[in-house]
């Protein structure tokens, strides 16, 4: 029999002669691997899925024209929209929607109308609840607040008037509260208020203000978001062009960006002064996303540290017990010429075997636990991560070997003369 064959025969004999101790070592590794692999799978998969779902709740980045630039009057043209989108998409996946805002009148009351691409807005804002359908040619989508104030129903009609004088005070575009912050962040998505200036003649409301004429649109649907969007009337960008009699760029670009460093992306856009645009983060989306992910990662590291300590103690104690039981055998082998190195290698390999078995069983158990937790607690599915499984098994074997270092060191220092004298 070769030396290698004899080595593995002795190894298997040692394992099966002390099955109870071997089982304890495997169980200790199994518990550690199951807990760590379960937490790791959850902390990797869940934040990714949550990030994708949170991005469905609207934009985390908005871009507006600088007020003192030519874009402030004419909006952001198509070429600049494309260029900005290329910069955002270079840092990660993105979805975007563009908005052109105009102050309009409905029954002489001031409102804000937004010219949009319905497909873009629908893809960006999955959380919008639309009763009816999205805007199309000659049909508008009105916010819940507008519908309640005007008594509008789906399928009804609404007459919208446009006066250039209503938009003169804002340099040709509707005012946009929420997009004029100075700190590079915004507390919410773009919002618009009803800000028509009262015009008077000789102390009385002018006849122009009381004019209720305009273009008739059908109400395609009513949108309810619970936010400032409920006070806006949405129409096709082409319909807004026809209503105003002019074509210009957009006032706001909203992005849902998957960039890992959103702050750096904002700075890179703002540093390009030739673009004459300003980028801002939507903090209500990014802050919630970051907070949840940070909590999960913190929980993972705390529990991992505790589990690692218990695994080291469990495996180390089991190997110490095995060394104590095999003390006489070790002394006899050293008396017959076995080196301390050979004895140490045998124990290290035995520990690694326990770690591998525990790692394999623990990783499978951890995956089952992760699937169950994701389904019951997070209400989402999770796939099997092969590279994480390999890392878990290898790490379990490594932890078992590290835990066996102190007892193996004691085993290699056993004096055969003392042991045999005791016999």
């Amino acid at each position: 029999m070769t030396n290698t064959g004899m080595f593995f025969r002795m190894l298997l004999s040692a394992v099966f002669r002390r099955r109870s101790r071997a089982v304890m070592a495997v169980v200790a590794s199994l518990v550690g691997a199951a807990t760590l692999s379960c937490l790791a799978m959850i902390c990797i998969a869940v934040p990714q899925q949550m990030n994708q779902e949170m991005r469905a709740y609207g934009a985390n980045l908005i871009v507006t024209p600088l007020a003192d630039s030519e874009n402030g009057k004419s909006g952001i043209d198509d070429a600049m929209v494309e260029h900005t989108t290329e910069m955002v998409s270079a840092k990660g996946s993105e979805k975007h929607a563009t908005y052109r805002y105009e102050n309009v009148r409905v029954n002489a009351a001031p409102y804000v109308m937004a010219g949009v691409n319905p497909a873009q807005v629908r893809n960006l804002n999955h959380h919008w609840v639309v009763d009816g359908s999205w805007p199309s040619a000659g049909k508008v989508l009105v916010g819940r607040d507008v519908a309640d104030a005007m008594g509008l129903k789906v399928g009804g009609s609404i007459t919208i008037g446009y006066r250039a004088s209503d938009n003169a005070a804002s340099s040709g575009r509707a005012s946009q509260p929420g997009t004029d912050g100075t700190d590079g962040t915004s507390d919410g998505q773009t919002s618009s208020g009803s800000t028509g200036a009262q015009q008077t003649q000789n102390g009385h409301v002018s006849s122009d203000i009381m004019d209720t004429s305009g273009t008739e649109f059908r109400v395609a649907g009513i949108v309810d978001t619970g936010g400032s969007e409920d006070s806006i009337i949405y129409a096709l960008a082409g319909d807004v062009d026809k209503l105003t009699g002019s074509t210009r760029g957009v006032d706001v670009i909203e992005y849902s960006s998957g960039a890992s460093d959103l702050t750096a992306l904002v700075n890179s856009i703002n540093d390009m002064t030739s673009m004459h645009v300003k980028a801002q983060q939507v903090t209500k989306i990014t802050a919630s996303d970051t907070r949840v992910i940070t909590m999960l990662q913190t929980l993972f590291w705390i529990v991992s540290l505790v589990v690692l300590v218990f695994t080291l103690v469990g495996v180390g104690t089991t190997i110490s017990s095995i060394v104590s039981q095999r003390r006489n055998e070790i002394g006899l082998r050293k008396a017959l010429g076995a080196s301390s190195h050979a004895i140490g290698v045998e124990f290290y390999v035995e520990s690694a075997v326990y770690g591998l078995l525990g790692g394999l069983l623990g990783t499978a158990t951890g995956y089952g636990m992760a699937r169950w937790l994701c389904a019951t607690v997070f209400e989402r599915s999770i796939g099997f991560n092969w590279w994480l499984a390999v890392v878990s098994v290898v790490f379990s074997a490594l932890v078992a070997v590290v835990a066996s270092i102190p007892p193996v060191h004691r085993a290699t220092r056993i004096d055969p003369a003392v042991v045999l004298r005791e016999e």
Side-chain angles (χ1 to χ4, degrees):
M1 182 178 290
T2 63
N3 290 338
T4 302
M6 179 59 72
F7 174 82
F8 283 106
R9 182 174 182 179
M10 293 173 60
L11 182 63
L12 291 175
S13 177
V15 170
F16 285 105
R17 281 204 312 268
R18 298 169 180 82
R19 287 188 292 273
S20 61
R21 301 293 181 183
V23 169
M24 290 176 60
V26 171
V27 168
S29 296
L30 184 153
V31 172
T35 306
L36 293 179
S37 61
C38 174
L39 288 174
M41 289 180 184
I42 292 175
C43 288
I44 290 175
V46 171
Q48 291 177 347
Q49 295 182 16
M50 290 184 65
N51 181 49
Q52 294 175 354
E53 291 186 6
M54 283 192 173
R55 288 175 58 194
Y57 284 87
N60 56 5
L61 172 68
I62 60 174
V63 176
T64 56
L66 291 175
D68 58 351
S69 68
E70 185 64 26
N71 284 350
K73 299 179 182 179
S74 60
I76 306 173
D77 60 31
D78 292 342
M80 188 55 63
V81 171
E82 183 178 356
H83 178 62
T84 307
T85 302
E86 288 176 354
M87 292 185 65
V88 176
S89 60
K91 300 297 182 180
S93 60
E94 64 83 23
K95 295 183 291 184
H96 73 277
T98 58
Y99 303 81
R100 173 189 175 178
Y101 292 106
E102 298 291 349
N103 291 318
V104 296
R105 301 183 195 176
V106 180
N107 292 341
Y111 286 96
V112 172
M113 190 173 193
V116 300
N117 180 326
Q120 291 180 346
V121 178
R122 187 173 187 175
N123 187 41
L124 181 66
N125 301 287
H126 291 254
H127 66 291
W128 284 19
V129 179
V130 176
D131 179 15
S133 59
W134 288 77
S136 57
K139 298 181 180 180
V140 297
L141 175 69
V142 299
R144 172 56 62 185
D145 293 344
V146 179
D148 292 343
M150 305 297 298
L152 298 173
K153 302 293 182 181
V154 176
S157 62
I158 178 174
T159 301
I160 302 175
Y162 173 81
R163 304 292 181 272
S165 57
D166 293 343
N167 296 275
S170 56
S171 300
R173 62 191 183 98
S175 61
Q176 302 158 37
T179 65
D180 58 350
T182 58
D183 60 350
T185 61
S186 171
D187 291 333
Q189 289 175 290
T190 55
S191 61
S192 303
S194 302
T195 58
Q198 287 274 333
Q199 298 182 9
T200 61
Q201 292 180 351
N202 300 324
H204 300 284
V205 177
S206 69
S207 59
D208 183 60
I209 285 292
M210 298 304 295
D211 186 2
T212 59
S213 63
T215 303
E216 184 175 300
F217 291 88
R218 306 299 295 182
V219 178
I222 298 173
V223 60
D224 191 349
T225 68
S228 58
E229 297 86 355
D230 292 352
S231 62
I232 300 176
I233 302 171
Y234 297 91
L236 294 182
D239 283 347
V240 175
D241 292 343
K242 293 178 182 179
L243 180 67
T244 61
S246 65
T247 302
R248 64 177 181 84
V250 300
D251 298 309
V252 175
I253 315 172
E254 291 185 349
Y255 288 99
S256 176
S257 172
S260 57
D261 190 348
L262 200 58
T263 301
L265 176 58
V266 169
N267 292 335
S268 65
I269 294 175
N270 291 335
D271 289 342
M272 297 287 289
T273 56
S274 60
M275 295 173 62
H276 302 296
V277 296
K278 179 181 180 180
Q280 300 171 286
Q281 291 187 53
V282 181
T283 55
K284 74 176 183 180
I285 300 295
T286 55
S288 300
D289 194 357
T290 303
R291 184 167 58 251
V292 172
I293 293 175
T294 301
M295 290 173 58
L296 281 174
Q297 291 176 339
T298 302
L299 176 64
F300 169 72
W301 287 114
I302 293 175
V303 175
S304 296
L305 182 61
V306 174
V307 170
L308 180 61
V309 171
F310 278 112
T311 302
L312 288 171
V313 172
V315 176
T317 301
T318 303
I319 298 299
S320 294
S321 177
I322 293 175
V323 169
S324 298
Q325 288 184 344
R326 297 176 60 183
R327 187 167 178 269
N328 294 338
E329 175 189 334
I330 295 170
L332 179 60
R333 290 178 58 189
K334 294 187 73 172
L336 294 175
S339 65
S340 297
H341 174 73
I343 293 173
V345 168
E346 180 182 341
F347 276 103
Y348 285 135
V349 173
E350 184 177 343
S351 300
V353 169
Y354 297 148
L356 285 173
L357 290 174
L360 287 170
L361 296 175
T363 300
T365 304
Y367 173 63
M369 292 171 57
R371 288 197 63 176
W372 178 77
L373 285 173
C374 285
T376 57
V377 178
F378 298 101
E379 297 183 350
R380 65 193 71 234
S381 60
I382 185 173
F384 189 75
N385 193 322
W386 283 102
W387 73 263
L388 183 60
V390 173
V391 170
S392 177
V393 173
V394 173
F395 184 72
S396 297
L398 181 62
V399 169
V401 171
V402 171
S404 67
I405 290 177
V408 170
H409 181 66
R410 291 195 300 271
T412 58
R413 299 183 63 183
I414 290 177
D415 188 348
V418 174
V419 173
L420 294 178
R421 188 185 312 118
E422 292 176 356
E423 287 295 318

